[in-house]
């Protein structure tokens, strides 16, 4: 993110204040990320635990009737202009097609709904925040203002941090001026990824002591932290020290800078720490992992190679929904118009899903809206592709998806057996940022205050044929061939029984949220006991407890845990992780181990 003798208006003073706050907020993060400022003491590497992420809609194939392509001519729509700032992201192809480009065009879906929409590319978060505040400030006294923007789209896993930065300013105008999430346009489906050494994929514990470069606290960084949490690998939040028993990070200025730091072999001298305390040693460490998105992953593969996709939003497919955020007061005052906007985005998503010619058109329009690359580029990396890198390794590149109305009913938990993905993603990553960086983001707005599903519900209530979200199916005899993560969970049962204790509920909720992030991955539940009692009885008990967990998950959300996804394995007392010679050791051996994989 001129001097004048003219007296500033109240709005002018507010605008300057907001821009200063946003600028300082962004500068603070930039300075920390760039390494110019160090905290007074080293931060201790933390076990981030279970990152609670749910599953996203399944990118349904719909069977809607085709429509005519929008023209290149501007539409003649008399309604007031809606302005929407967005990143360059393939998840928005449905909205772009529906509008016929940056401005509503003749023959477009939006024109037919009487919507006058302007799509504005903006890659800077502080600018998005400032423009929301600018609009809200003017709207309070002038409902026809042409200043600022009513809407933005960002990544769902960054929404808590985004709203923590903007809503305190908006709420100075009144609580009804806060920004809220009302819809999702699509999601990242592989494009955003964590790339690392092949040995890390073979055994995640080999990643301890790794040095990954990323835009810190960004969505791709979140992927790394999520994967570390799933595999019990501590995270070192201090980018100026090195912990050989944790994942460490190098701050990058951008996702392209992240890839370049790996390509050029970036290294630096760091103070070695253990549990946050200096050991007195220093070590030169070199980047051997990257968190990035297309074309950063393409650059890594083509210019150097040697890294594979450890995990991406193809597995963590709910992590990055493309959330539509608007000003509450404006949306309440213009409910009909906002609902027509949602209808248009949804219908555009249906068309992109259903027809290759529409996808091609959306790619063409995307190149114009973003003023970058061409149709072939956006279509290729919307679909995702595989390539052989510079060192002959096969890597996956790109991958996004658009959403329709059915996907949104699923992702907001409005379908039977579904769960509110948007809420869980919001809370999870808000809590994660607060946990690892409490000085930067001590609090964030409550999800119940910033998620409003009433617009979506109204649209759905009058839509006769809603295309259902695609279901992921599993074969019961299809065992995991490639493991993504493995972690033990301390789920408490009554002594000698398969009945959960009251204390187990929180752990079960965390487990649920952690598993449903990856709806395309199979789940294995492995039951273990200590050595107290008869070995045969313990084997039966471990199986009963594993089945109890399976049944609890399936009952909570049938759509997230369809038949065949979960398999149960009983080990009794045969696989202790520590000796059963102490009460503490026995407690560690009474566990449920969760494995996720393909």
């Amino acid at each position: 993110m001129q001097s004048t003798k003219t007296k500033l208006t109240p709005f002018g003073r507010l605008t300057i204040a907001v821009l200063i706050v946003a600028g300082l907020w962004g500068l603070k993060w930039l300075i920390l990320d760039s390494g110019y400022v160090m905290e007074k003491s080293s931060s201790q590497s933390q076990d981030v635990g279970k990152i609670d992420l749910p599953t996203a809609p399944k990118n349904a194939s719909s069977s809607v009737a085709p429509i005519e392509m929008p023209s290149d001519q501007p539409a003649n729509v008399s309604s007031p202009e809606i302005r929407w700032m967005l990143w360059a992201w393939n998840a928005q192809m449905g909205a772009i097609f529906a509008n016929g480009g940056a401005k509503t065009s003749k023959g477009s879906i939006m024109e037919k709904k009487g919507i006058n929409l302007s799509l504005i590319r903006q890659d800077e978060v502080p600018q998005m925040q400032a423009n929301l505040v600018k609009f809200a400030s003017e709207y309070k006294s002038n409902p026809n203002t042409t200043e600022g923007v009513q809407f933005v789209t960002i990544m769902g896993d960054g929404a808590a941090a985004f709203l923590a930065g903007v809503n305190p300013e908006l709420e100075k105008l009144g609580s009804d001026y806060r920004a809220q999430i009302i819809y999702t346009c699509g999601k990242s489906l592989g494009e955003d990824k964590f790339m690392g050494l092949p040995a890390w994929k073979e055994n995640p514990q080999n990643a301890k002591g790794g040095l990954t470069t990323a835009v810190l606290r960004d969505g791709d960084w979140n992927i790394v932290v999520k994967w570390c949490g799933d595999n019990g690998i501590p995270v070192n939040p201090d980018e100026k020290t090195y912990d050989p028993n944790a994942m460490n990070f190098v701050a990058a200025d951008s996702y392209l800078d992240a890839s370049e730091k790996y390509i050029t072999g970036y290294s630096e001298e760091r103070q070695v720490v253990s549990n946050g305390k200096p050991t007195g040693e220093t070590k030169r460490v070199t980047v051997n992992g990257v968190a990035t998105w297309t074309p950063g992953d393409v650059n890594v593969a083509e210019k150097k190679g040697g890294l594979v996709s450890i995990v991406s939003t193809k597995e963590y497919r709910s992590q990055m929904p493309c959330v539509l955020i608007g000003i509450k007061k404006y949306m309440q005052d213009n409910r009909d118009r906002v609902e027509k906007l949602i209808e248009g985005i949804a219908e555009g998503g249906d068309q992109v899903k259903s027809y290759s010619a529409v996808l091609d058109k959306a790619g063409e329009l995307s190149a114009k809206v973003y003023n970058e690359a061409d149709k072939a580029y956006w279509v290729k990396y919307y679909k995702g592709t595989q390539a052989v890198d510079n060192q002959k390794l096969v890597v996956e590149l790109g991958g996004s998806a658009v959403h329709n109305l059915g996907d949104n009913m699923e992702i907001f938990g409005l379908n039977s057996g579904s769960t509110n993905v948007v809420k869980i993603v919001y809370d999870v990553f808000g809590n994660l940022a607060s946990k690892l960086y409490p000085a930067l983001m001590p609090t964030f707005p409550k999800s119940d205050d910033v998620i409003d599903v009433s617009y979506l519900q109204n649209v759905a209530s009058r839509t006769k044929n809603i295309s259902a979200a695609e279901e992921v199916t599993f074969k019961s005899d299809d065992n995991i061939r490639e493991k993504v993560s493995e972690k033990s969970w301390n789920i408490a049962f009554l002594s000698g029984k398969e009945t959960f204790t009251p204390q187990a509920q929180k752990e079960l909720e965390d487990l649920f949220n952690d598993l449903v992030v990856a709806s395309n991955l199979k789940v294995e539940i492995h039951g273990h006991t200590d050595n107290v009692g008869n070995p045969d009885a313990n084997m039966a008990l471990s199986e009963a407890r594993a089945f109890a967990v399976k049944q609890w998950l399936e009952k909570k959300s049938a759509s997230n845990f369809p038949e065949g996804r979960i398999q149960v394995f009983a080990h009794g007392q045969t696989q202790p992780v520590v000796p059963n010679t102490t009460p503490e050791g026995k407690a560690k051996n009474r566990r449920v181990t969760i494995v996720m994989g393909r």
Side-chain angles (χ1 to χ4, degrees), residues 29-40:
W29 282 55
L30 177 61
I31 290 173
L32 286 169
D33 287 354
S34 301
Y36 293 116
V37 174
M38 290 182 63
E39 297 185 23
K40 293 182 179 179

Side-chain angles (χ1 to χ4, degrees), residues 505-523:
Q505 292 304 311
K506 175 60 167 62
E507 194 81 354
L508 286 167
E509 291 288 346
D510 287 345
L511 173 61
F512 171 81
N513 291 334
D514 193 62
L515 290 179
V516 296
V517 61
S519 62
N520 60 331
L521 294 183
K522 289 186 69 69
V523 176

Side-chain angles (χ1 to χ4, degrees), residues 309-328:
S309 177
I310 303 298
V311 71
S312 74
T313 50
K314 187 174 183 179
E315 291 80 27
Y316 296 164
R317 61 188 295 156
S318 70
Q319 182 174 323
M320 290 187 190
C322 179
V323 294
L324 181 64
I325 296 175
I327 300 298
K328 178 180 179 180

Side-chain angles (χ1 to χ4, degrees), residues 479-549:
N479 294 327
I480 290 177
R481 297 178 178 84
E482 182 180 339
K483 184 167 63 176
V484 173
S485 63
E486 179 175 352
K487 189 176 179 68
S488 293
W489 294 72
N490 296 318
I491 298 172
F493 294 86
L494 295 178
S495 179
K497 298 181 179 180
E498 63 270 22
T499 305
F500 301 119
T501 67
Q503 294 76 22
Q505 292 304 311
K506 175 60 167 62
E507 194 81 354
L508 286 167
E509 291 288 346
D510 287 345
L511 173 61
F512 171 81
N513 291 334
D514 193 62
L515 290 179
V516 296
V517 61
S519 62
N520 60 331
L521 294 183
K522 289 186 69 69
V523 176
E524 292 180 354
I525 302 178
H526 295 258
H528 303 268
T529 69
D530 59 25
N531 66 345
V532 176
N534 179 275
D536 291 338
N538 282 339
M539 185 66 72
L541 179 61
S542 68
E543 180 180 57
R545 287 177 170 177
F547 267 110
V549 174

